[in-house]
């Protein structure tokens, strides 16, 4: 519980700080992109071999079988290590688009559920989009990650693989 | 390991970002004070009853016996929940000053050990000073917390209790 709380509190502080520091210049967009970059670097760091389950994982299977295999790692091991739960649903069109659904995304539970708050959602999702993109990048998969909220606190992350 | 890494990476990102965002205006001082405030709020949050061991702790002993008791909680339960280790040494002059020594402070292990890097140490310690001050404040103890590094990565946090 403590680890989860620590991450949550830090995450809120970062959003608040970046939001206030970036206000003035094209506001929301810049804040979101800063948060995404921070997430990207953290995601990269976490998947470096000396951290988390990627080493446990890669000890048995020295490399991922395919793209889908990498995505499954993100949905299970990676998500659990950061959010203490797995992704609830993974779907793909088998053409490089993956949709990861989290039915109760922690970072959104801080936001009130009213529709009027939906406009703030991107700030609460940007860091995580970056986190996924960074992790994937470190595992050799280049991607664009976006997020969308339909009914809070459920959230869908869309990963579009960028073919080299 | 993952949780520790997640905190470490986030902590580095925050330092880097705050440092760049605050540069220009009295630089270091403002950066350090921002980081301290962020730590303060996170420390307060973590000791709120629904998080970490403070609830376990307070279930058996509904309130702390005295100031020293609170400090022991910070050195053991609180430190472990954040840094995955206890404080190595706690000393007091029994007049409201406590020195908490961590012989291998994680947030410093990122810094090279050369003397020339010592000037950067305050940035790496500010968040944690705030964390301790926030936790203490939420437990009813008003304090001033400073940190000093003699030989990296050992670190001493000095807590001066502010009598009401």
């Amino acid at each position: 519980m403590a680890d989860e709380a620590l991450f949550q509190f830090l995450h809120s502080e970062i959003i608040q700080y970046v939001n206030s520091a970036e206000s003035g210049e094209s506001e929301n967009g810049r804040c979101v992109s800063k948060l995404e970059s921070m997430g990207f670097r953290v995601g990269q760091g976490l998947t470096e071999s000396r951290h988390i389950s990627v080493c446990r994982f890669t000890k048995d299977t020295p490399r991922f079988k395919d793209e889908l295999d990498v995505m499954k790692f993100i949905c299970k091991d990676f998500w659990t290590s950061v959010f203490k739960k797995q992704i609830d649903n993974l779907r793909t069109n088998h053409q490089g688009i993956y949709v990861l659904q989290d039915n109760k995304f922690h970072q959104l539970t801080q936001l009130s559920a009213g529709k009027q708050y939906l406009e703030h959602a991107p700030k609460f999702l940007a860091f995580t989009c970056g986190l996924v993109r960074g992790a994937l990048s470190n595992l050799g998969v280049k991607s664009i990650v976006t997020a969308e909220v339909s009914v809070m606190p459920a959230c869908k992350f869309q990963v579009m693989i960028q073919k080299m």
Side-chain angles (χ1 to χ4, degrees), chain A:
Chain A
M1 279 336 270
D3 294 317
E4 206 183 315
L6 182 62
F7 176 55
Q8 290 250 14
F9 286 123
L10 268 169
H11 186 254
S12 307
E13 283 297 322
I14 291 176
I15 292 174
Q16 223 170 308
Y17 182 74
V18 174
N19 194 38
S20 70
E22 300 298 336
S23 72
E25 323 171 36
S26 77
E27 294 143 37
N28 240 333
R30 220 173 127 74
C31 166
V32 164
S33 114
K34 281 277 172 191
L35 290 167
E36 207 271 348
S37 311
M38 290 168 106
F40 180 80
R41 288 186 296 269
V42 174
Q44 277 195 311
L46 283 176
T47 42
E48 264 166 24
S49 57
R50 65 212 154 96
H51 298 115
I52 67 166
S53 26
V54 73
C55 33
R56 239 194 315 130
F57 199 82
T58 46
K59 216 170 267 170
D60 305 321
T61 48
R63 67 177 67 195
F64 295 95
K65 217 170 56 200
D66 52 23
E67 208 177 82
L68 183 62
D69 225 31
V70 178
M71 294 309 301
K72 283 183 184 165
F73 166 77
I74 296 290
C75 294
K76 288 186 185 173
D77 303 63
F78 185 75
W79 213 260
T80 304
S81 83
V82 179
F83 301 109
K84 314 300 165 212
K85 70 186 286 290
Q86 296 187 12
I87 277 287
D88 296 299
N89 193 300
L90 168 66
R91 276 183 301 171
T92 177
N93 67 352
H94 298 287
Q95 296 187 356
I97 293 185
Y98 295 85
V99 177
L100 289 65
Q101 180 163 330
D102 189 324
N103 294 331
K104 203 184 164 190
F105 187 57
H106 283 106
Q107 310 320 102
L108 282 177
T109 50
Q110 305 158 30
L111 260 185
S112 296
K115 271 226 157 155
Q116 68 269 39
Y117 300 110
L118 270 181
E119 59 172 309
H120 295 294
K123 277 187 292 211
F124 288 82
L125 300 172
F127 183 88
T128 304
C129 288
L131 206 59
V132 173
R133 191 170 67 87
L136 284 172
S137 146
N138 220 38
L139 299 172
V141 178
K142 225 183 138 192
S143 66
I144 293 173
V145 181
T146 53
E148 114 188 90
V149 179
S150 37
V151 183
M152 287 215 257
C155 183
K156 281 179 188 168
F157 294 89
Q158 181 174 288
V159 179
M160 287 175 63
I161 308 297
Q162 304 294 96
K163 297 288 173 206
M164 302 301 180

